Amino acid sequence: MNAASPSILAALSPSDNEELAQRRAVLAEIDASCRGPLLFLFSGSIIWLLVGTVFALLASLKLHNPEYLANYSWLTFGRVRPAHLNAVIYGFASEAAIGVTLWLMCRLCRTPLLFGWIINAAGVFWNLGVTIGVVAILAGDSTGIEWLEIPPYATPILFVSYALIAVWGVITFRFRREKHLYVSQWYLLAALFWFPWIYSAAQILLVLDPVRGTVQAAVNWWFAHNVLGLWFTPIGLASIYYFIPKVLGKPVYNYSLSVLGFWSLALFYNWNGMHHLVGGPMPAWLITVSIVASVMMTIPVITVGINHHLTMWGSFRELKTSPVLRFMVFGGMSYTLTSLHGIALALRSVSEVTHFTHSTIAHSHQGMYAFFTMVMFGAIYYIMPRVLQVDWPSARLIRVHFWAVAIGILLYVFPLIVGGTLEGMAMTNPDVPFVDAVKPSVVSLTLPYLKTRSYSGMLIFLGHLAFAISFGWIVLRWAQAGRLARLKTSLARV
Amino acid sequence: MSVLWILFVCSLVVLPGIALLAFRWAMRQGEFRHLEKTALSIFDDDEPVGQTTDCFPGGQRGKKPAPTRPPNPISRPRLPEA
Amino acid sequence: MNSPTSTPSSSPGNDPRSRGRPAGVKDLAARDPLEHVEPGESQRPISLMLVIFLATLFSWAGYYAHRYGGGYEPLIYNENAYGLAAAKTNAAEKLDPYALGQRVFGNTCARCHQPDGLGLPGQYPPLAGSEWVLAPGPARMIRIVLDAVQGPIPVKGATFDNVMTPWRDTLNDEQIAAVITFVRTQKEWGNTASPVTPEEVAAIRAKTKARSAAGPWTVAELQALPDQEPNP
């Protein structure tokens, strides 16, 4: 190994050892084969990330400053908030998730990307669907069902795109060259199957042929909770299971626990949604069973937690030098925290206070952002240099990104959990009015926390800008490097 | 309402069926036996143990002051073997 | 250190970089890890701690699902209706009459008589301090709530001339008793009359069934009644 090599690339470039060089060439071939689709998916997801963050900021500002931009019907709270949700969930998170899944599948199966055009077509459709959906929501055409606001004329596009990706996943798996199925692969394959199931079931039951009455709420929560649990969580966990051991160069602490974790997640997660309806007009058993399943989630959460943290154990100083590890470990820790918090929130006595408050919002951001999004950032930081064969241009930008979003999301989540709990206590107390100019009321209690959230949102936006610049820059570098190389080869020929 | 029945059958029969089949398939494949091997399957034979394969870009841009340790864990020379 | 293939000679135990790795995990750099790892290692994957943990969790799950499952009856909404027995008899739980009365009042009467019970001058008479409400017996008030009242009515020195809505078909005996009790005993309004039971309401509801077809009561009719309902 070349001791003087200054960058990641040194580890990637061919060395004097021929056998080694050949193996690396295989790896490089796999990485290079993903380049086009990944560039497309990641660029799209980063654009959606920026768009979604702007909507998020608007929505957050409006909560403590209701007159702000109130004259534009397109930018009213009722439209900006679902626009934010759909832009980040379907635009950013799902697209990044598809990209990372793609690369992980190829690496875990040890086969170069087959049928890249399927993914490209899927990517085009996906972006088209989300664009139509978000514009329609802003135009006032949302279905009004949380997490499914995209109107029925845009969802088939998303569905077609998704079907393409799932088919691609099955094909790649079929042509795998690796005999062992690493735990990440389990998670990825399962996610590829679960998402179309929950999405189509919810679409049919809520939009195409709506069920009536409170069953709608039940289906809605079943879906909303499962998007997180059966689509994003498995992909996030698959990434952590791959990247932490890979970056550290040591295997996961206890592999059998990870298998237990996967199957218990598969068994228990999709019962969880109903715990959001504690106290609602639902048969008691439905909610009780859901609470039981939520508590049973301790099994996958604890096993995953043990695995991630004990794999890291003794290597924490590497956090100083590895950006990927920073994001991954932040995400892994948040996963443990947010899951345990979520289990507590499912209990009747806790839920009676916290549900329908900002505490739920804080909790979902802890899961979606502090866990999943951070993991996606880490994955992109690992994947891009290997796929493009160019190093990240600026360590400073990465640091700004990390610290801005890390501090930002902590500043978001923890104050808002406190604020939401206070809000819930005030709402269950009949002596506290909802709005009151003089007396402390539910609204005045929550105001400081809502303002904190806007500040944290600005910080997070700053981080995202740094990330977008980094990303644009590395692509530019790659393009230039490619052009120079081509110039050189053509010159050499002459 | 007929849609509901399709979903009923799917959720009660088809999906658990697929899960069971997947589980059985995994059993037969030996996925639950060669755990240690599988845990190692993400690594290549020549990958160094316990060496970090990721680092901040740096060193080569000359912006940061010279670090006390080599900036890149990849390039960190291995300790002499006992 | 010019070629990584030389690493098999390094023993993981002495390598400070392998700190924190579970003992027994083979050095990855061994030429072929797939050959060198004894399968025996992974044959005891589940520790006693884990078994105890899982057993505790599953026992709790069984208990909780049984205790709060409402017997898995679709119509049991109250998780405290304990077990199958309660689910079968479908025994309605005892509602706090005060809370029920407050809720009924807020959903029905407050629209006209206002949340503070003071009514609207010239349109809706007050309930706070009203002699109709505070009469020693509830006979008239029950009739008013069941079938309503219309025409000029003197309340606290002012006369109102309007129509009220009847509640006979909307509210059941328990709800009517609760709301009347709530109004009659609402201390914040200075009302300190006696409470009313659902049985009293049921009795009057049965007795005035025929009368209800004739529309709301008139003040004269009501005033002709005795304060206390004579026992049948």
Side-chain angles (χ1 to χ4, degrees):
Chain A
M1 194 172 285
N2 180 3
S5 59
S7 76
I8 300 176
L9 291 179
L12 301 169
S13 60
S15 79
D16 22 343
N17 178 321
E18 195 159 318
E19 200 192 331
L20 177 60
Q22 205 180 341
R23 280 205 216 93
R24 281 187 181 157
V26 174
L27 214 62
E29 191 201 334
I30 295 178
D31 285 347
S33 68
C34 298
R35 187 187 296 140
L38 280 189
L39 272 178
F40 182 66
L41 287 170
F42 287 160
S43 318
S45 88
I46 288 172
I47 291 171
W48 280 118
L49 178 67
L50 292 179
V51 172
T53 320
V54 171
F55 287 143
L57 266 178
L58 288 181
S60 179
L61 287 170
K62 278 161 179 284
L63 273 183
H64 52 79
N65 199 1
E67 298 87 29
Y68 182 62
L69 291 181
N71 291 336
Y72 305 92
S73 65
W74 282 57
L75 295 179
T76 43
F77 182 80
R79 299 188 190 181
V80 167
R81 187 193 180 276
H84 155 65
L85 190 143
N86 285 277
V88 294
I89 292 296
Y90 298 106
F92 159 68
S94 293
E95 222 174 306
I98 293 169
V100 171
T101 304
L102 181 83
W103 185 82
L104 276 178
M105 282 290 281
C106 288
R107 273 235 170 166
L108 291 169
C109 295
R110 291 190 189 264
T111 115
L113 180 78
L114 302 161
F115 306 109
W117 63 269
I118 298 187
I119 297 293
N120 283 334
V124 172
F125 276 122
W126 191 268
N127 278 296
L128 192 70
V130 179
T131 312
I132 296 180
V134 170
V135 172
I137 290 170
L138 287 178
D141 219 1
S142 117
T143 61
I145 301 167
E146 215 178 346
W147 290 68
L148 289 169
E149 286 97 345
I150 294 186
Y153 46 80
T155 39
I157 312 180
L158 289 180
F159 202 82
V160 167
S161 155
Y162 193 83
L164 289 174
I165 291 161
V167 166
W168 174 88
V170 174
I171 296 178
T172 306
F173 185 67
R174 181 69 193 76
F175 288 104
R176 69 188 182 282
R177 293 191 197 141
E178 168 68 53
K179 140 167 147 251
H180 294 284
L181 248 68
Y182 188 60
V183 57
S184 299
Q185 187 118 50
W186 277 107
Y187 278 115
L188 294 178
L189 283 173
L192 283 182
F193 276 105
W194 284 332
F195 184 69
W197 157 242
I198 53 173
Y199 193 66
S200 55
Q203 281 291 339
I204 292 171
L205 291 178
L206 291 176
V207 182
L208 301 182
D209 184 10
V211 288
R212 285 194 229 141
T214 49
V215 186
Q216 280 192 351
V219 177
N220 196 184
W221 274 115
W222 171 79
F223 172 75
H225 209 270
N226 280 348
V227 177
L228 233 143
L230 297 182
W231 170 234
F232 293 121
T233 303
I235 294 178
L237 293 184
S239 311
I240 300 186
Y241 268 123
Y242 184 82
F243 287 109
I244 290 188
K246 192 76 178 164
V247 168
L248 287 180
K250 61 184 181 188
V252 6
Y253 174 74
N254 184 337
Y255 191 78
S256 54
L257 277 186
S258 70
V259 175
L260 178 67
F262 170 78
W263 287 98
S264 50
L265 179 106
L267 190 58
F268 293 123
Y269 206 118
N270 87 87
W271 303 67
N272 276 14
M274 253 24 67
H275 68 218
H276 286 278
L277 297 170
V278 169
M282 288 280 151
W285 71 268
L286 202 65
I287 293 172
T288 297
V289 166
S290 180
I291 294 174
V292 167
S294 310
V295 174
M296 296 309 268
M297 281 299 292
T298 2
I299 302 171
V301 169
I302 296 258
T303 51
V304 164
I306 288 179
N307 256 337
H308 290 165
H309 305 315
L310 293 189
T311 307
M312 264 317 280
W313 198 254
S315 303
F316 283 105
R317 69 205 155 105
E318 309 293 354
L319 290 178
K320 252 177 107 175
T321 52
S322 163
V324 175
L325 218 50
R326 274 194 199 178
F327 283 97
M328 288 288 162
V329 170
F330 191 100
M333 289 185 165
S334 304
Y335 176 70
T336 312
L337 258 182
T338 190
S339 305
L340 294 178
H341 180 219
I343 292 167
L345 287 184
L347 300 174
R348 277 199 167 87
S349 47
V350 182
S351 183
E352 272 158 12
V353 176
T354 56
H355 66 176
F356 313 138
T357 69
H358 292 295
S359 169
T360 311
I361 317 293
H363 174 63
S364 60
H365 280 79
Q366 201 184 5
M368 242 351 262
Y369 198 100
F371 159 51
F372 184 76
T373 303
M374 292 302 259
V375 167
M376 286 300 109
F377 287 150
I380 293 176
Y381 276 123
Y382 189 88
I383 295 172
M384 286 314 282
R386 283 157 179 85
V387 164
L388 297 183
Q389 299 277 323
V390 187
D391 213 349
W392 286 101
S394 157
R396 186 167 296 156
L397 276 178
I398 302 180
R399 289 208 171 86
V400 169
H401 177 204
F402 177 77
W403 286 113
V405 294
I407 296 174
I409 196 64
L410 293 179
L411 200 64
Y412 182 130
V413 169
F414 290 101
L416 207 57
I417 287 179
V418 175
T421 311
L422 290 179
E423 182 192 4
M425 282 171 7
M427 285 208 292
T428 44
N429 179 354
D431 297 335
V432 181
F434 194 74
V435 201
D436 200 309
V438 268
K439 266 203 274 183
S441 65
V442 173
V443 168
S444 68
L445 252 174
T446 49
L447 268 181
Y449 302 96
L450 296 178
K451 283 181 187 150
T452 318
R453 168 163 67 180
S454 292
Y455 293 126
S456 81
M458 290 170 198
L459 209 56
I460 291 174
F461 185 63
L462 180 82
H464 290 168
L465 273 184
F467 181 50
I469 294 173
S470 247
F471 187 85
W473 197 349
I474 192 177
V475 174
L476 206 72
R477 268 184 138 197
W478 162 74
Q480 280 173 343
R483 216 174 295 137
L484 280 181
R486 244 177 285 139
L487 202 69
K488 265 186 210 151
T489 42
S490 51
L491 279 179
R493 241 181 252 135
V494 174
Chain B
M1 276 319 270
S2 59
V3 174
L4 262 183
W5 286 110
I6 299 174
L7 286 174
F8 244 70
V9 174
C10 277
S11 60
L12 292 178
V13 182
V14 178
L15 282 174
I18 293 177
L20 277 179
L21 284 180
F23 193 77
R24 206 186 63 156
W25 177 83
M27 290 277 268
R28 298 215 166 153
Q29 281 270 311
E31 288 302 329
F32 302 118
R33 260 179 287 134
H34 313 299
L35 295 173
E36 217 69 50
K37 287 184 194 174
T38 311
L40 297 177
S41 69
I42 53 168
F43 299 104
D44 296 296
D45 302 351
D46 59 284
E47 239 173 275
V49 189
Q51 279 203 2
T52 315
T53 54
D54 178 67
C55 62
F56 276 104
Q60 78 268 47
R61 311 219 105 224
K63 282 210 176 132
K64 278 188 300 169
T68 43
R69 300 192 291 150
N72 179 5
I74 295 174
S75 61
R76 209 185 303 151
R78 308 203 95 198
L79 295 177
E81 271 129 37
Chain C
M1 260 343 283
N2 31 26
S3 154
T5 43
S6 66
T7 45
S9 57
S10 70
S11 68
N14 294 338
D15 188 344
R17 280 156 305 189
S18 61
R19 246 190 313 154
R21 272 196 306 146
V25 171
K26 290 289 175 217
D27 195 324
L28 276 176
R31 272 306 301 259
D32 187 355
L34 301 188
E35 296 292 297
H36 286 244
V37 178
E38 301 97 71
E41 254 175 348
S42 50
Q43 295 298 312
R44 39 160 196 77
I46 290 184
S47 71
L48 187 63
M49 279 282 281
L50 190 64
V51 173
I52 295 175
F53 170 66
L54 291 181
T56 322
L57 215 55
F58 275 96
S59 323
W60 174 86
Y63 163 74
Y64 190 87
H66 177 72
R67 171 66 184 78
Y68 296 105
Y72 298 96
E73 291 285 327
L75 291 179
I76 299 292
Y77 285 52
N78 173 13
E79 71 275 8
N80 285 319
Y82 176 61
L84 284 170
K88 286 216 183 81
T89 55
N90 205 357
E93 63 168 321
K94 263 271 114 328
L95 280 178
D96 174 9
Y98 183 82
L100 180 66
Q102 191 177 28
R103 177 152 20 122
V104 175
F105 181 82
N107 289 344
T108 53
C109 327
R111 207 162 3 115
C112 300
H113 297 284
Q114 302 305 305
D116 54 11
L118 290 179
L120 280 181
Q123 283 190 54
Y124 302 116
L127 298 180
S130 152
E131 61 272 27
W132 294 90
V133 171
L134 297 178
R140 292 187 198 116
M141 183 156 173
I142 293 177
R143 282 179 170 79
I144 292 177
V145 175
L146 275 172
D147 292 314
V149 51
Q150 72 177 359
I153 180 169
V155 184
K156 279 169 86 176
T159 300
F160 296 80
D161 189 356
N162 203 337
V163 202
M164 183 169 142
T165 18
W167 298 99
R168 177 181 285 271
D169 300 330
T170 327
L171 300 179
N172 62 25
D173 298 335
E174 202 186 358
Q175 287 168 317
I176 291 181
V179 73
I180 292 180
T181 305
F182 172 79
V183 171
R184 276 167 63 91
T185 60
Q186 185 53 13
K187 289 204 187 61
E188 279 180 32
W189 304 348
N191 287 5
T192 48
S194 57
V196 176
T197 63
E199 290 74 38
E200 287 174 276
V201 178
I204 294 181
R205 186 195 285 273
K207 202 189 278 178
T208 57
K209 193 152 189 277
R211 164 69 186 71
S212 71
W217 297 90
T218 58
V219 174
E221 271 178 298
L222 290 173
Q223 271 165 344
L225 289 165
D227 264 348
Q228 289 291 352
E229 194 65 20
N231 274 335

